Amino acid sequence: MKRVVILGSTGSIGQQALEVCRWRGYRVVGLAAGQNLEELSRQIQDWRPLLVAAHKSLHGELKARFPGLRLGTPEEVASLEAEVAVAAIPGLAGLAPTRAAARTGKRLALANKEAMVAAGPLLWQEVEAQGAEILPVDSEHSALFQALLGERREDVAELILTASGGPFLREPEDLSQVTPAMALNHPRWRMGPKVTIDSATLFNKGLEVLEAKELFRFPLEKIKVLVHPQAYVHGLVRFVDGSLKAQLGPTDMRLPIQYALTYPERAETPLQNLPIPGVLEFLEPDLKRFPALAVAYEAGRRGGVAQVAVSAADEVAVEAFLAGKIPFTEIPKILAQVLENTPSLPLTWENLFAVDTWAREEAKRWA
């Protein structure tokens, strides 16, 4: 029986990963969560994990409900003996447990794109030193991973990530008045609030471009974005002869999650007979309405710690927007301002955390 740890178990990806584990009959040995007491309690009741990590404010109540429960840190959960760790703690908070899982040599089913964006080369060093492996959970990167299987790197002309366009693909023309409720109403995907707002600004696609650069180690100029409103084609690889390979499927994260857990095997799911859309559109992204995507590309061109800075600044800006402190259109302006002021430093673990702290404070000045 395959053993799995879920980092970020009460979030959207974590809950869907647990559903996949139930489909497959896997043993979930560790859960790391935040402050969602009731959902975590249900998961502990259902899965009886060996170790649980949760926010300190929950420890007393969890011990009262489950007297024999072992509590630890997310890094300790990540280090449990298991075949796979699903890394789904959002933001840079997920970096340390992701790194801990990599150090144990297990497979990383990576849903935490910020870890790869901020620390890709450093994380690869840990993975390769320990004989671990990374399989993407993001639907777009899973699609690229699948399209690249069996192909020679030198034959690849470009990687194409698709974007649904989010809730504001065609309207309103003026985005300055949109509210958090409007931005959280994504037409295609069921996701957490941070990634849903990032999808509305297209910065999520920018993070995915940077993630693809680090994950597949192709140059930035070979990574392209196309808006695909049907969200049925998740990613394409164009080859030097003009041929394209794509991965298509329903907009359901349980598919890429399962593939990351079962690879190289494909297992049956309840989704296998869903209808195929009759129309598939592909549009160029509108960088005038969605400048956050251009900011991400610029961070990728600058290299060093620039990707750390914009990723951290985005967490602050999105939180400020959700709290009603800034308008929607201020988010990309804050990212651009922080990027402009980012010091030029090489990427090291020490610089990463120093710039992360600096960028959050810098972003708060504008938020």
Side-chain angles (χ1 to χ4, degrees), residues 170-186:
R170 295 187 171 90
E171 59 183 11
E173 180 62 32
D174 178 7
L175 295 170
S176 63
Q177 301 302 313
V178 303
T179 65
M182 293 164 68
L184 287 169
N185 187 28
H186 197 282

Side-chain angles (χ1 to χ4, degrees), residues 17-29:
L18 287 169
E19 193 170 349
V20 171
C21 289
R22 186 170 286 110
W23 286 352
R24 303 269 63 81
Y26 293 162
R27 170 82 170 103
V28 176
V29 295

Side-chain angles (χ1 to χ4, degrees), residues 279-325:
V279 175
L280 299 176
E281 301 171 279
F282 298 94
L283 314 165
E284 291 291 335
D286 184 346
L287 297 183
K288 186 176 178 183
R289 291 182 70 224
F290 302 103
L293 178 57
V295 175
Y297 267 100
E298 180 57 27
R301 280 188 283 271
R302 294 191 183 196
V305 294
Q307 295 177 184
V308 180
V310 293
S311 180
D314 181 61
E315 291 186 33
V316 174
V318 168
E319 189 176 329
F321 169 66
L322 288 172
K325 294 180 180 176

Side-chain angles (χ1 to χ4, degrees), residues 303-306 309 338-346 355 358:
V305 294
V338 171
L339 178 61
E340 187 61 31
N341 295 340
T342 299
S344 180
L345 296 171
V355 169
W358 168 85

Side-chain angles (χ1 to χ4, degrees), residues 4-22 28 31-32 39 43 47 86-90 111 137 190 253-254 257 261:
V4 181
V5 297
I6 311 286
L7 308 173
S9 66
T10 56
S12 172
I13 295 295
Q15 292 185 49
Q16 294 179 81
L18 287 169
E19 193 170 349
V20 171
C21 289
R22 186 170 286 110
V28 176
L31 298 169
E39 179 60 31
Q43 294 175 356
W47 294 95
V86 177
I89 296 175
V137 163
R190 176 168 61 97
M253 284 304 298
R254 292 173 298 178
I257 291 169
L261 292 174

Side-chain angles (χ1 to χ4, degrees), residues 201-216:
T201 64
L202 282 199
F203 190 66
N204 183 55
K205 206 52 54 180
L207 287 174
E208 289 178 359
V209 166
L210 300 177
E211 181 186 5
K213 176 170 78 78
E214 306 298 344
L215 186 60
F216 300 109

Side-chain angles (χ1 to χ4, degrees), residues 243-296:
S243 298
L244 287 156
K245 277 176 70 176
Q247 187 268 336
L248 297 78
T251 53
D252 193 309
M253 284 304 298
R254 292 173 298 178
L255 279 182
I257 291 169
Q258 174 167 283
Y259 192 62
L261 292 174
T262 64
Y263 171 83
E265 298 174 9
R266 290 186 186 274
E268 291 186 4
T269 77
L271 310 170
Q272 62 194 47
N273 293 320
L274 294 179
I276 299 171
V279 175
L280 299 176
E281 301 171 279
F282 298 94
L283 314 165
E284 291 291 335
D286 184 346
L287 297 183
K288 186 176 178 183
R289 291 182 70 224
F290 302 103
L293 178 57
V295 175

